[in-house]
Amino acid sequence: MTDINKTILEKAAGPTRFNPDEQRRFLETYEERVIASCTLEEARDKMYLEQYSTILTDISDRFHPVLVKISPALDENSQLQYLKKTKELGLVASIVSDDCRHSPFGLIIHTDHPSGISPTDMNLQYPILFEKKEETAGPEKKSFWKRLFS
């Protein structure tokens, strides 16, 4: 039988965590569970928000369960948009505690078991979605003088 005083002191100290630094870095999850991630700057980018539903649909077809962690360092508007899009797809999303404020990640998409995915960067996993579309210049207009003398 365990000592009740020891149990009370352990419970009062909070939950025991395995590798808390890794959990803070990866928004309260472990690195091996991460399926896809993006940095804070990328999460603020409009292009990521537009492609988010497509990426999440693809991931949810391959993994079950799919969970989304959102950084508290993102602005409130971005947080709400990511939450809304996640809920529309019927998945679970949460904004993590302020303990993770210094994490370089803006979004972490993960599961509850090791995913075996490397690299987890969304840019590398979905390069077609994030290609910079080059503006095609129309035919070059000739100046008046070139048209006159040609």
Side-chain angles (χ1 to χ4, degrees), residues 78-98:
S78 296
Q79 289 175 350
L80 292 176
Q81 288 179 339
Y82 283 115
L83 275 172
K84 181 180 175 186
K85 287 185 180 234
T86 305
K87 299 290 183 191
E88 286 173 356
L89 293 172
L91 300 173
V92 178
S94 61
I95 300 169
V96 296
S97 68
D98 271 349

Side-chain angles (χ1 to χ4, degrees), residues 39-57:
T39 64
L40 281 167
E41 293 79 28
E42 292 169 342
R44 291 180 182 117
D45 190 357
K46 184 180 176 184
M47 185 184 305
Y48 277 79
L49 191 58
E50 291 170 357
Q51 300 298 338
Y52 179 69
S53 295
T54 305
I55 292 168
L56 213 50
T57 302

Side-chain angles (χ1 to χ4, degrees), residues 3 6 10 32 34 43 56 84 87 91 107 117 124 126:
D3 182 24
K6 181 180 176 188
E10 286 175 357
E32 69 264 5
V34 176
L56 213 50
K84 181 180 175 186
K87 299 290 183 191
L91 300 173
L107 285 174
I117 293 185
L124 299 174
Y126 300 96

